[in-house]
Amino acid sequence: QVRLVESGGGLVQAGGSLRLSCVLSGRLNSVYEIGWFRQTPEFGREFVSRIRWRGDDKSRYADFAEGRFNISRDSAKSTVYLQMNNLKPEDSAVYLCAVNFGLGAYDNWGQGTQVTVSA
């Protein structure tokens, strides 16, 4: 199985930036995409961004992330990053990364890292 560990969260002022990391370990040969999600009590789990693990680094963003967030990968370090800029209080959430094996669902999840944005 693939295991993931998120880091980089913290407390930041509105308008600030954070860079989250998702470090993968285990059997990575079947990984197709890595996705970032966020969870809040109000909205539940939301898709944030995703990126292909191999080949073309095609990525996709949720509307609220477009133009503010950037996803990237470093396969040599088995790490996916989420650069978050111009953060807003509504971005406050637990951010998690997950593995998609190309079957249409995300089956492996990290425990998340807390992001809190103050007004």
Side-chain angles (χ1 to χ4, degrees):
Q1 292 183 335
V2 177
R3 292 173 173 82
L4 309 97
V5 179
E6 302 95 336
S7 63
L11 177 63
V12 65
Q13 188 176 356
S17 299
L18 286 173
R19 190 189 192 191
L20 308 183
S21 298
C22 173
V23 179
L24 286 70
S25 62
R27 299 179 180 180
L28 308 183
N29 56 299
S30 297
V31 175
Y32 177 66
E33 287 183 339
I34 303 296
W36 280 100
F37 299 79
R38 67 186 189 186
Q39 290 182 336
T40 64
E42 183 177 8
F43 296 106
R45 182 172 292 177
E46 297 177 290
F47 167 78
V48 177
S49 183
R50 71 188 186 206
I51 189 170
R52 291 182 181 176
W53 184 243
R54 301 182 184 88
D56 186 2
D57 57 352
K58 183 179 180 180
S59 59
R60 184 179 178 180
Y61 299 88
D63 288 344
F64 63 79
E66 187 72 50
R68 296 193 298 131
F69 296 1
N70 182 67
I71 190 169
S72 61
R73 74 187 190 200
D74 187 340
S75 297
K77 296 182 178 180
S78 298
T79 302
V80 173
Y81 302 98
L82 183 67
Q83 177 69 43
M84 304 188 295
N85 302 313
N86 192 25
L87 285 164
K88 305 174 182 179
E90 53 263 42
D91 293 320
S92 298
V94 175
Y95 283 74
L96 307 97
C97 57
V99 177
N100 185 292
F101 295 99
L103 302 177
Y106 290 85
D107 299 318
N108 294 80
W109 297 81
Q111 290 189 319
T113 183
Q114 177 70 51
V115 172
T116 303
V117 184
S118 62

